[in-house]
mmCIF file of all heavy atoms in Angstrom:
data_model
loop_
_atom_site.group_PDB
_atom_site.id
_atom_site.type_symbol
_atom_site.label_atom_id
_atom_site.label_comp_id
_atom_site.label_asym_id
_atom_site.label_seq_id
_atom_site.Cartn_x
_atom_site.Cartn_y
_atom_site.Cartn_z
ATOM 1 N N TYR A 165 -53.526 33.257 -89.111
ATOM 2 C CA TYR A 165 -52.349 33.470 -88.272
ATOM 3 C C TYR A 165 -52.221 32.342 -87.241
ATOM 4 O O TYR A 165 -51.129 31.825 -86.994
ATOM 5 C CB TYR A 165 -52.416 34.831 -87.575
ATOM 6 C CG TYR A 165 -51.217 35.110 -86.714
ATOM 7 C CD1 TYR A 165 -49.965 35.320 -87.283
ATOM 8 C CD2 TYR A 165 -51.321 35.135 -85.321
ATOM 9 C CE1 TYR A 165 -48.855 35.548 -86.507
ATOM 10 C CE2 TYR A 165 -50.198 35.360 -84.535
ATOM 11 C CZ TYR A 165 -48.968 35.575 -85.132
ATOM 12 O OH TYR A 165 -47.864 35.795 -84.347
ATOM 13 N N PHE A 166 -53.363 31.954 -86.646
ATOM 14 C CA PHE A 166 -53.353 30.847 -85.685
ATOM 15 C C PHE A 166 -52.733 29.595 -86.316
ATOM 16 O O PHE A 166 -51.860 28.951 -85.739
ATOM 17 C CB PHE A 166 -54.789 30.559 -85.219
ATOM 18 C CG PHE A 166 -54.907 29.382 -84.291
ATOM 19 C CD1 PHE A 166 -54.597 29.513 -82.947
ATOM 20 C CD2 PHE A 166 -55.327 28.149 -84.770
ATOM 21 C CE1 PHE A 166 -54.698 28.425 -82.083
ATOM 22 C CE2 PHE A 166 -55.436 27.051 -83.915
ATOM 23 C CZ PHE A 166 -55.111 27.198 -82.574
ATOM 24 N N GLU A 167 -53.173 29.294 -87.537
ATOM 25 C CA GLU A 167 -52.662 28.095 -88.216
ATOM 26 C C GLU A 167 -51.166 28.207 -88.503
ATOM 27 O O GLU A 167 -50.422 27.237 -88.389
ATOM 28 C CB GLU A 167 -53.452 27.836 -89.503
ATOM 29 C CG GLU A 167 -54.743 27.091 -89.194
ATOM 30 C CD GLU A 167 -55.738 27.112 -90.346
ATOM 31 O OE1 GLU A 167 -55.325 27.366 -91.499
ATOM 32 O OE2 GLU A 167 -56.937 26.881 -90.076
ATOM 33 N N LYS A 168 -50.752 29.410 -88.865
ATOM 34 C CA LYS A 168 -49.336 29.629 -89.153
ATOM 35 C C LYS A 168 -48.484 29.416 -87.895
ATOM 36 O O LYS A 168 -47.434 28.778 -87.946
ATOM 37 C CB LYS A 168 -49.161 31.061 -89.669
ATOM 38 C CG LYS A 168 -47.937 31.271 -90.512
ATOM 39 C CD LYS A 168 -48.047 32.589 -91.255
ATOM 40 C CE LYS A 168 -46.697 32.993 -91.815
ATOM 41 N NZ LYS A 168 -46.739 34.325 -92.420
ATOM 42 N N VAL A 169 -48.978 29.930 -86.778
ATOM 43 C CA VAL A 169 -48.228 29.790 -85.523
ATOM 44 C C VAL A 169 -48.126 28.325 -85.111
ATOM 45 O O VAL A 169 -47.032 27.824 -84.829
ATOM 46 C CB VAL A 169 -48.885 30.619 -84.387
ATOM 47 C CG1 VAL A 169 -48.305 30.248 -83.029
ATOM 48 C CG2 VAL A 169 -48.693 32.106 -84.638
ATOM 49 N N VAL A 170 -49.261 27.621 -85.097
ATOM 50 C CA VAL A 170 -49.198 26.230 -84.619
ATOM 51 C C VAL A 170 -48.428 25.346 -85.594
ATOM 52 O O VAL A 170 -47.743 24.408 -85.176
ATOM 53 C CB VAL A 170 -50.599 25.641 -84.288
ATOM 54 C CG1 VAL A 170 -51.244 26.404 -83.141
ATOM 55 C CG2 VAL A 170 -51.501 25.574 -85.494
ATOM 56 N N ALA A 171 -48.478 25.682 -86.896
ATOM 57 C CA ALA A 171 -47.685 24.915 -87.858
ATOM 58 C C ALA A 171 -46.197 25.197 -87.639
ATOM 59 O O ALA A 171 -45.382 24.270 -87.585
ATOM 60 C CB ALA A 171 -48.098 25.255 -89.286
ATOM 61 N N SER A 172 -45.852 26.464 -87.472
ATOM 62 C CA SER A 172 -44.442 26.828 -87.241
ATOM 63 C C SER A 172 -43.891 26.146 -85.999
ATOM 64 O O SER A 172 -42.722 25.816 -85.937
ATOM 65 C CB SER A 172 -44.285 28.336 -87.045
ATOM 66 O OG SER A 172 -44.419 28.997 -88.270
ATOM 67 N N LEU A 173 -44.742 25.962 -85.002
ATOM 68 C CA LEU A 173 -44.278 25.374 -83.745
ATOM 69 C C LEU A 173 -44.465 23.859 -83.700
ATOM 70 O O LEU A 173 -44.176 23.223 -82.692
ATOM 71 C CB LEU A 173 -44.978 26.043 -82.559
ATOM 72 C CG LEU A 173 -44.545 27.495 -82.320
ATOM 73 C CD1 LEU A 173 -45.490 28.213 -81.391
ATOM 74 C CD2 LEU A 173 -43.132 27.539 -81.744
ATOM 75 N N GLY A 174 -44.966 23.301 -84.795
ATOM 76 C CA GLY A 174 -45.071 21.848 -84.875
ATOM 77 C C GLY A 174 -46.070 21.236 -83.916
ATOM 78 O O GLY A 174 -45.878 20.117 -83.438
ATOM 79 N N ILE A 175 -47.143 21.944 -83.602
ATOM 80 C CA ILE A 175 -48.123 21.393 -82.669
ATOM 81 C C ILE A 175 -49.530 21.348 -83.272
ATOM 82 O O ILE A 175 -50.519 21.158 -82.560
ATOM 83 C CB ILE A 175 -48.163 22.200 -81.337
ATOM 84 C CG1 ILE A 175 -48.194 23.698 -81.623
ATOM 85 C CG2 ILE A 175 -46.993 21.834 -80.447
ATOM 86 C CD1 ILE A 175 -48.252 24.560 -80.384
ATOM 87 N N ALA A 176 -49.599 21.497 -84.601
ATOM 88 C CA ALA A 176 -50.909 21.536 -85.272
ATOM 89 C C ALA A 176 -51.729 20.277 -85.011
ATOM 90 O O ALA A 176 -52.960 20.339 -84.945
ATOM 91 C CB ALA A 176 -50.717 21.751 -86.771
ATOM 92 N N ASP A 177 -51.073 19.134 -84.821
ATOM 93 C CA ASP A 177 -51.819 17.880 -84.628
ATOM 94 C C ASP A 177 -52.080 17.564 -83.152
ATOM 95 O O ASP A 177 -52.579 16.499 -82.818
ATOM 96 C CB ASP A 177 -51.070 16.715 -85.296
ATOM 97 C CG ASP A 177 -49.653 16.578 -84.768
ATOM 98 O OD1 ASP A 177 -49.151 17.527 -84.115
ATOM 99 O OD2 ASP A 177 -49.037 15.521 -84.988
ATOM 100 N N ARG A 178 -51.726 18.484 -82.254
ATOM 101 C CA ARG A 178 -51.932 18.229 -80.824
ATOM 102 C C ARG A 178 -52.911 19.219 -80.187
ATOM 103 O O ARG A 178 -52.967 19.342 -78.975
ATOM 104 C CB ARG A 178 -50.586 18.303 -80.055
ATOM 105 C CG ARG A 178 -49.478 17.398 -80.552
ATOM 106 C CD ARG A 178 -49.888 15.936 -80.739
ATOM 107 N NE ARG A 178 -50.653 15.376 -79.641
ATOM 108 C CZ ARG A 178 -50.157 14.627 -78.677
ATOM 109 N NH1 ARG A 178 -48.900 14.321 -78.665
ATOM 110 N NH2 ARG A 178 -50.934 14.141 -77.729
ATOM 111 N N LEU A 179 -53.673 19.909 -81.016
ATOM 112 C CA LEU A 179 -54.493 21.012 -80.495
ATOM 113 C C LEU A 179 -55.578 20.580 -79.520
ATOM 114 O O LEU A 179 -55.956 21.329 -78.629
ATOM 115 C CB LEU A 179 -55.124 21.793 -81.656
ATOM 116 C CG LEU A 179 -54.125 22.542 -82.535
ATOM 117 C CD1 LEU A 179 -54.834 23.208 -83.706
ATOM 118 C CD2 LEU A 179 -53.359 23.571 -81.713
ATOM 119 N N GLU A 180 -56.091 19.343 -79.694
ATOM 120 C CA GLU A 180 -57.167 18.903 -78.799
ATOM 121 C C GLU A 180 -56.635 18.099 -77.606
ATOM 122 O O GLU A 180 -57.404 17.645 -76.766
ATOM 123 C CB GLU A 180 -58.218 18.103 -79.568
ATOM 124 C CG GLU A 180 -58.793 18.813 -80.813
ATOM 125 C CD GLU A 180 -59.165 20.282 -80.587
ATOM 126 O OE1 GLU A 180 -59.676 20.628 -79.490
ATOM 127 O OE2 GLU A 180 -58.924 21.103 -81.501
ATOM 128 N N ALA A 181 -55.317 17.940 -77.522
ATOM 129 C CA ALA A 181 -54.733 17.209 -76.390
ATOM 130 C C ALA A 181 -54.736 18.082 -75.140
ATOM 131 O O ALA A 181 -54.854 19.306 -75.217
ATOM 132 C CB ALA A 181 -53.300 16.798 -76.726
ATOM 133 N N MET A 182 -54.613 17.436 -73.984
ATOM 134 C CA MET A 182 -54.453 18.182 -72.736
ATOM 135 C C MET A 182 -52.939 18.331 -72.479
ATOM 136 O O MET A 182 -52.150 17.483 -72.912
ATOM 137 C CB MET A 182 -55.093 17.424 -71.564
ATOM 138 C CG MET A 182 -56.563 17.101 -71.729
ATOM 139 S SD MET A 182 -57.576 18.544 -72.129
ATOM 140 C CE MET A 182 -57.876 19.183 -70.490
ATOM 141 N N PRO A 183 -52.537 19.402 -71.779
ATOM 142 C CA PRO A 183 -51.103 19.637 -71.564
ATOM 143 C C PRO A 183 -50.335 18.428 -71.016
ATOM 144 O O PRO A 183 -49.224 18.149 -71.470
ATOM 145 C CB PRO A 183 -51.084 20.796 -70.566
ATOM 146 C CG PRO A 183 -52.320 21.555 -70.875
ATOM 147 C CD PRO A 183 -53.347 20.513 -71.242
ATOM 148 N N ASN A 184 -50.943 17.679 -70.071
ATOM 149 C CA ASN A 184 -50.193 16.566 -69.473
ATOM 150 C C ASN A 184 -50.007 15.376 -70.418
ATOM 151 O O ASN A 184 -49.347 14.409 -70.091
ATOM 152 C CB ASN A 184 -50.814 16.121 -68.150
ATOM 153 C CG ASN A 184 -52.187 15.467 -68.339
ATOM 154 O OD1 ASN A 184 -52.659 15.306 -69.473
ATOM 155 N ND2 ASN A 184 -52.826 15.102 -67.237
ATOM 156 N N GLN A 185 -50.603 15.453 -71.602
ATOM 157 C CA GLN A 185 -50.379 14.401 -72.594
ATOM 158 C C GLN A 185 -49.197 14.730 -73.516
ATOM 159 O O GLN A 185 -48.909 13.991 -74.449
ATOM 160 C CB GLN A 185 -51.644 14.199 -73.442
ATOM 161 C CG GLN A 185 -52.843 13.734 -72.606
ATOM 162 C CD GLN A 185 -54.120 13.711 -73.419
ATOM 163 O OE1 GLN A 185 -54.492 14.690 -74.068
ATOM 164 N NE2 GLN A 185 -54.814 12.574 -73.382
ATOM 165 N N LEU A 186 -48.551 15.870 -73.256
ATOM 166 C CA LEU A 186 -47.455 16.306 -74.125
ATOM 167 C C LEU A 186 -46.110 16.170 -73.426
ATOM 168 O O LEU A 186 -46.033 16.173 -72.199
ATOM 169 C CB LEU A 186 -47.640 17.772 -74.513
ATOM 170 C CG LEU A 186 -48.964 18.194 -75.145
ATOM 171 C CD1 LEU A 186 -48.899 19.668 -75.502
ATOM 172 C CD2 LEU A 186 -49.251 17.364 -76.387
ATOM 173 N N SER A 187 -45.043 16.087 -74.230
ATOM 174 C CA SER A 187 -43.685 16.103 -73.669
ATOM 175 C C SER A 187 -43.368 17.522 -73.179
ATOM 176 O O SER A 187 -44.071 18.479 -73.527
ATOM 177 C CB SER A 187 -42.678 15.711 -74.750
ATOM 178 O OG SER A 187 -42.570 16.748 -75.708
ATOM 179 N N GLY A 188 -42.295 17.636 -72.407
ATOM 180 C CA GLY A 188 -41.872 18.952 -71.909
ATOM 181 C C GLY A 188 -41.636 19.927 -73.053
ATOM 182 O O GLY A 188 -42.062 21.080 -73.014
ATOM 183 N N GLY A 189 -40.962 19.442 -74.087
ATOM 184 C CA GLY A 189 -40.665 20.309 -75.229
ATOM 185 C C GLY A 189 -41.934 20.775 -75.926
ATOM 186 O O GLY A 189 -42.060 21.945 -76.310
ATOM 187 N N GLN A 190 -42.893 19.852 -76.059
ATOM 188 C CA GLN A 190 -44.172 20.227 -76.686
ATOM 189 C C GLN A 190 -44.915 21.242 -75.826
ATOM 190 O O GLN A 190 -45.496 22.196 -76.341
ATOM 191 C CB GLN A 190 -45.034 18.988 -76.907
ATOM 192 C CG GLN A 190 -44.538 18.108 -78.046
ATOM 193 C CD GLN A 190 -45.296 16.786 -78.136
ATOM 194 O OE1 GLN A 190 -45.709 16.218 -77.124
ATOM 195 N NE2 GLN A 190 -45.466 16.285 -79.352
#
Side-chain angles (χ1 to χ4, degrees):
Y165 181 68
F166 176 80
E167 277 165 20
K168 204 165 165 186
V169 168
V170 296
S172 286
L173 290 165
I175 46 179
D177 57 345
R178 305 310 314 261
L179 294 176
E180 307 315 322
M182 303 307 275
N184 68 2
Q185 298 173 308
L186 306 183
S187 71
Q190 287 172 326

